[in-house]
Amino acid sequence: MHQPVSSEPPRKTHAPTSGKSFPRSNLNSGSTESKIVPFEKPALEKPVLDKPVLEKPALDKPLENLYRTSDTPPVAIESPSSSSQSALPQSESEQGFVPVLKNRNFLTLWGGQVFSQLADKVYLVLMIALIASRFQADDQPISGWVSSTMVAFTIPAILFGSIAGVYVDRWSKKGVLVVTNLLRGLLVVALPPLLWFVKDWGNWGTTPVGFVLLLGVTFLVSTLTQFFAPAEQSVIPLIVEKRHLLSANSLYTTTMMASVIVGFAVGEPLLALADQLVAGFGISDLGKEIVVGGGYALAGMILLLLKTGEQKSDSPVEQPHVFQDIKDGLKYLSVQAHVRAALLQLVILFSIFAALSVLAVRLAEVMPEIKSSQFGFLLAAGGVGMAIGAALLGNFGQKISHNRFGVYGSLGMAASLVGLAFTYHHLWLSLLAIALTGFFAAAIGIPMQTTIQQETPEDMRGKVFGLQNNAVNVALSLPLVLAGVGESLLGLKVVFLILAGAALAGGGLTWYISRDQNS
């Protein structure tokens, strides 16, 4: 750029101090994009010495773009909400959920999440209904069939969680959200004609071909879910301003827990009602699939309205080097203490909740007030506690650091589990302890997820969220086996105390890893 000059008589001048190049180390925020250095003279242009310089050259970009730190890297994507970031600071009345609920793009994503999450939960109920009506014999337990279905649903999460995140970084995130939902809906709706087509094919070994087909569809649905999950997490920071991410994640978590409660509670009567309504049109055994497949399809159509601000690049998209990209994600986690600590604490949190979901059956069995088949009431108490915690956190939690939430939440969760270890024979005390466990789990999970979103560059989010998805799915799988074995060998009290120790260890680990950056 050329420097403006004055018309006064010439005199000897020195280059202004502001003409020194800004240190490029301060501009390196993890991106390889070129940056404008303020007040830097062109390399080939001779300085003007015959006239004094009385004005500072104008900047081509705002100063705020030149002072980015490593946790807010510049990206090639412009958030739709970025136009409001240059406004004056918001008043206290616009904290909490209010600004998030005014964000049309977030409402669109939230609406898609509601239908997609409900379809996910009711899908498992649909599988159980299909097994009971088509494959289970009268004198045969259903547990073996259901276990096989759960394995088919879990394997893609372990195999493809990290790989999916690599591709999400290179693909249109909106496209991934829309296509994965529409394809899942199509697979579910196609189940009845496919099962009718293979009904006379006999067995494959000792397994009916129809059940093998059911496992294959479940495997594909779960594989598509592995792409949907990191894309959804990566979109939230694109459409929500950084200062509102905690509230947005609170709504996200509340919806997720509500879908678990509502999906499992009303799934069976909802599918039965759908069959009755569809039978009135002369079509039998299709209502259940229409409800679940329609939920996925409706989520996909809602997400078509989403505007993420992603920009198409004219240059060809680089093909992913899958294992190298996964290695890059692991390397990023190794040097980002806050993100690594948050991810580890989320893994521990989900491990504890997976163990509680198994122990809830045994817990209901030893309580004289309820039957073992009513263990869902205990899980619902944890969901209610988490929903209350998420609501309070979203409204009033912006002024407390995320690491402090992690420590306090771990202490509270450990205390609740210790209380449960000594009160599990009493229904109401156990319900209170489980609800408090869910409440403090919200104080851990939501700030930790927000930390990962805030401090991860856009071009690394898919990789990091893919690794998170993979780690969480492993964390959900192992306790399903270990918790039952531990309870049979050690008893409920000892297992609950072990889980309390794990919660304390998670809080201590988060503090230890992040202490240097905090100081």
Side-chain angles (χ1 to χ4, degrees):
M1 64 180 72
H2 295 283
Q3 298 178 347
V5 297
S6 172
S7 59
E8 294 182 10
R11 58 186 176 86
K12 186 175 180 181
T13 61
H14 299 281
T17 57
S18 59
K20 296 180 182 180
S21 298
F22 192 79
R24 293 186 179 273
S25 60
N26 293 346
L27 302 175
N28 184 11
S29 58
S31 172
T32 58
E33 298 179 75
S34 62
K35 301 176 178 64
I36 294 178
V37 181
F39 317 134
E40 185 177 28
K41 299 178 182 179
L44 300 179
E45 187 177 24
K46 295 181 179 180
V48 179
L49 296 178
D50 56 338
K51 295 182 181 181
V53 178
L54 300 181
E55 297 182 18
K56 293 182 180 180
L59 292 176
D60 292 337
K61 293 185 178 181
L63 277 172
E64 60 186 16
N65 292 340
L66 303 169
Y67 290 87
R68 294 184 182 272
T69 57
S70 59
D71 61 340
T72 56
V75 297
I77 294 178
E78 182 181 356
S79 170
S81 59
S82 61
S83 60
S84 62
Q85 292 182 5
S86 60
L88 293 175
Q90 290 184 324
S91 63
E92 293 295 328
S93 62
E94 292 207 16
Q95 296 299 319
F97 293 123
V98 175
V100 176
L101 294 175
K102 290 180 179 179
N103 186 332
R104 291 184 179 180
N105 283 306
F106 179 78
L107 291 179
T108 301
L109 180 66
W110 192 26
Q113 182 211 7
V114 168
F115 287 101
S116 182
Q117 292 275 0
L118 282 175
D120 273 338
K121 304 308 176 290
V122 181
Y123 179 84
L124 297 176
V125 181
L126 170 64
M127 292 299 103
I128 295 173
L130 290 176
I131 291 170
S133 61
R134 295 174 182 266
F135 305 110
Q136 181 192 12
D138 294 336
D139 57 345
Q140 186 182 30
I142 198 174
S143 57
W145 301 94
V146 174
S147 298
S148 300
T149 306
M150 294 301 296
V151 169
F153 205 85
T154 304
I155 288 177
I158 297 174
L159 293 180
F160 306 130
S162 300
I163 297 174
V166 170
Y167 285 93
V168 164
D169 272 338
R170 288 169 167 79
W171 294 345
S172 164
K173 295 168 182 60
K174 174 183 175 180
V176 172
L177 295 176
V178 173
V179 171
T180 53
N181 275 297
L182 294 179
L183 287 178
R184 285 187 290 180
L186 182 62
L187 286 169
V188 173
V189 174
L191 262 177
L194 289 174
L195 291 174
W196 175 85
F197 182 73
V198 301
K199 67 178 180 180
D200 297 326
W201 286 24
N203 294 343
W204 187 39
T206 59
T207 307
V209 173
F211 183 68
V212 175
L213 176 64
L214 197 70
L215 294 179
V217 171
T218 299
F219 184 89
L220 291 175
V221 168
S222 179
T223 300
L224 290 169
T225 302
Q226 306 319 307
F227 288 86
F228 175 82
E232 185 180 35
Q233 287 290 341
S234 298
V235 161
I236 293 177
L238 297 181
I239 62 176
V240 177
E241 296 180 29
K242 184 176 179 179
R243 62 179 178 269
H244 300 318
L245 278 176
L246 188 69
S247 298
N249 281 306
S250 298
L251 285 173
Y252 177 89
T253 303
T254 303
T255 305
M256 182 175 65
M257 295 309 303
S259 68
V260 173
I261 300 170
V262 174
F264 289 135
V266 307
E268 187 175 358
L270 179 63
L271 295 180
L273 177 62
D275 268 343
Q276 293 178 4
L277 293 176
V278 173
F281 295 95
I283 306 174
S284 60
D285 296 331
L286 191 59
K288 296 188 291 292
E289 291 81 2
I290 290 178
V291 167
V292 179
Y296 284 128
L298 187 57
M301 289 186 286
I302 291 174
L303 290 170
L304 281 171
L305 305 174
L306 182 65
K307 296 180 181 179
T308 62
E310 296 174 276
Q311 298 175 352
K312 292 184 178 180
S313 176
D314 295 332
S315 58
V317 178
E318 179 189 359
Q319 292 299 316
H321 307 284
V322 175
F323 294 105
Q324 181 60 44
D325 285 356
I326 293 174
K327 184 179 178 180
D328 290 342
L330 292 171
K331 184 178 180 180
Y332 175 80
L333 290 175
S334 69
V335 298
Q336 292 292 330
H338 284 167
V339 178
R340 183 171 72 254
L343 181 57
L344 289 174
Q345 193 157 13
L346 283 176
V347 170
I348 294 173
L349 175 64
F350 279 99
S351 298
I352 293 174
F353 260 81
L356 286 176
S357 66
V358 175
L359 298 174
V361 180
R362 176 60 179 163
L363 197 59
E365 188 178 6
V366 300
M367 288 182 178
E369 295 93 341
I370 60 175
K371 302 176 183 178
S372 58
S373 60
Q374 296 176 311
F375 70 94
F377 288 111
L378 302 175
L379 296 178
V384 170
M386 183 172 284
I388 294 173
L392 292 176
L393 196 65
N395 273 305
F396 309 108
Q398 286 83 2
K399 296 182 179 180
I400 302 177
S401 72
H402 296 170
N403 286 334
R404 188 171 298 178
F405 267 126
V407 173
Y408 293 165
S410 298
L411 292 174
M413 194 173 183
S416 302
L417 289 169
V418 170
L420 183 60
F422 292 96
T423 61
Y424 66 87
H425 285 291
H426 306 282
L427 175 61
W428 293 107
L429 291 177
S430 296
L431 288 174
L432 177 61
I434 294 173
L436 287 174
T437 301
F439 178 86
F440 288 110
I444 300 172
I446 295 171
M448 295 301 103
Q449 188 65 58
T450 304
T451 295
I452 297 175
Q453 290 174 343
Q454 287 180 338
E455 301 198 14
T456 303
E458 194 279 331
D459 59 347
M460 291 294 296
R461 284 177 189 149
K463 302 180 186 71
V464 171
F465 289 131
L467 290 169
Q468 175 188 331
N469 191 34
N470 205 340
V472 165
N473 282 309
V474 172
L476 290 172
S477 302
L478 290 179
L480 297 178
V481 178
L482 298 179
V485 174
E487 187 276 328
S488 61
L489 294 177
L490 304 174
L492 280 172
K493 179 184 290 186
V494 175
V495 173
F496 285 138
L497 292 176
I498 292 174
L499 294 179
L504 281 177
L509 191 62
T510 300
W511 174 82
Y512 178 79
I513 292 176
S514 303
R515 71 192 190 286
D516 292 336
Q517 287 193 11
N518 287 339
S519 62

